[in-house]
Amino acid sequence: MRFKEKVVIVTGGAQGIGMAITRSFAREGAKVVIADIDQEAGKENELYMRENGGECIYVQVDVASEESVKNMVQEAVSHYGGVNILINNAGIGGNKSIYERSMEEWDRILGINLRGPFMCTKYCAPYIKKNGGGAVINIASTRALMSEPNTEPYSASKGGILALTHSLAVSLGPDKIRVNAISPGWIDVTGWKKQSKREQVQLTERDHLQHPVGRVGNPEDIAAACLFLCSEEAGFITGTNLVIDGGMTIKMIYEE
Ligand code: NAD
């Protein structure tokens, strides 16, 4: 019950990593706002959490839209009376060659993945400050640090998140708001979707064993780190980036 009575907003909280984060905070006594664009998925997660004793509401939001973000924060505040913690988790990808990539796609990915976390923080920070401080976590990616081909807008947005994180950490430090990033590696979210889209893939031994820790990650690996970074035990940690990837980014690879 580390987060009893704390109000936690999780963007993209309906599915995948966000689903594990919402449920983990609820198990620790938090009042959770599932802020997601997908209403079917959001309502489903809300129902599941309530049936399992969690305190939560689903609020529909498009994190790329300023109006929508303002409304979401307003709804969270009028329902729960404030905000203590914000998890900027909503994000989209999409691999495509630079020769075919449209600028509309670039703008949409950057809008959700980078503009979104800035706006959500901008509109939540006054309430977190009013409550005497709290924490913000920005979910980045190991793709902020390394790349496969054809991932330019996603990689750029995640690189931007790391800079946004240290910038916000310095600006909001005086208001007792700690801001940290988490960079997940390969996290298998196929079993963490709304029912109509849930299709647990069968991972191979090769998938698992290429990781120094011997397995692919799961959403609860990331949720556990969110709980730690938002807890008082992490009171001296701000502006950092925690890489959670089973060791893939420290593994040196030369082709024989
Ligand atoms: P996911 O697709 O399973 O879930 C993302 C959720 O965000 C969905 O519920 C979706 O409806 C919601 N969403 C999408 N656009 C939105 C918008 N405009 N406004 C509000 N909600 C929106 O994704 P995931 O794999 O759980 O990824 C979560 C975060 O973790 C993302 O930021 C992603 O970039 C990052 N990440 C994931 C992995 C991975 O391997 N799964 C690795 C590195 C980083």
Side-chain angles (χ1 to χ4, degrees):
M1 287 292 157
R2 268 185 293 177
F3 295 96
K4 196 158 177 49
E5 300 303 316
K6 300 287 185 204
V7 180
V8 182
I9 296 179
V10 184
T11 70
Q15 300 178 97
I17 293 170
M19 181 191 263
I21 297 172
T22 55
R23 292 178 183 187
S24 296
F25 273 107
R27 277 196 297 270
E28 295 271 359
K31 298 172 175 173
V32 179
V33 180
I34 305 162
D36 201 291
I37 201 167
D38 186 326
Q39 188 167 32
E40 181 190 343
K43 285 276 170 201
E44 228 179 78
N45 194 29
E46 180 191 59
L47 182 66
Y48 176 93
M49 284 167 64
R50 286 183 179 170
E51 281 177 355
N52 286 276
E55 172 62 57
C56 65
I57 48 161
Y58 165 66
V59 180
Q60 190 169 35
V61 68
D62 176 356
V63 296
S65 152
E66 188 169 14
E67 229 17 68
S68 181
V69 168
K70 278 197 218 170
N71 289 340
M72 180 274 286
V73 175
Q74 222 32 66
E75 219 172 309
V77 169
S78 57
H79 196 84
Y80 285 133
V83 183
N84 302 97
I85 289 167
L86 167 68
I87 312 291
N88 283 310
N89 163 77
I92 59 166
N95 292 11
K96 198 177 269 186
S97 155
I98 186 172
Y99 300 109
E100 274 131 42
R101 177 82 72 185
S102 74
M103 292 319 294
E104 288 71 28
E105 284 169 343
W106 169 277
D107 288 343
R108 184 69 184 149
I109 293 173
L110 270 287
I112 294 172
N113 293 8
L114 188 55
R115 191 172 190 262
F118 176 72
M119 278 196 301
C120 290
T121 309
K122 172 178 167 59
Y123 289 110
C124 283
Y127 295 103
I128 304 178
K129 179 181 174 186
K130 206 167 147 197
N131 271 332
V136 175
I137 305 285
N138 296 321
I139 304 294
S141 167
T142 47
R143 285 166 194 268
L145 311 168
M146 60 201 306
S147 285
E148 287 179 317
N150 305 323
T151 58
E152 285 75 20
Y154 185 79
S155 297
S157 70
K158 296 302 187 178
I161 286 216
L162 298 191
L164 178 67
T165 299
H166 61 68
S167 175
L168 286 171
V170 171
S171 304
L172 298 176
D175 300 328
K176 302 203 180 322
I177 304 176
R178 296 182 300 102
V179 186
N180 289 292
I182 291 175
S183 287
W186 179 359
I187 306 297
D188 175 27
V189 295
T190 57
W192 295 75
K193 301 284 186 183
K194 61 183 174 183
Q195 266 166 29
S196 58
K197 288 275 164 66
R198 198 172 304 155
E199 210 174 328
Q200 175 70 60
V201 299
Q202 234 19 69
L203 296 168
T204 64
E205 198 162 276
R206 192 159 177 263
D207 294 334
H208 289 300
L209 294 184
Q210 66 185 288
H211 291 78
V213 301
R215 67 169 176 87
V216 170
N218 63 62
E220 281 166 336
D221 292 321
I222 306 305
C226 286
L227 293 183
F228 168 66
L229 284 174
C230 293
S231 73
E232 282 174 16
E233 290 161 317
F236 198 52
I237 304 176
T238 196
T240 197
N241 173 39
L242 181 58
V243 173
I244 304 180
D245 68 345
M248 285 302 279
T249 50
I250 47 91
K251 183 171 148 181
M252 197 174 278
I253 300 171
Y254 288 112
E255 288 173 14
E256 287 172 15

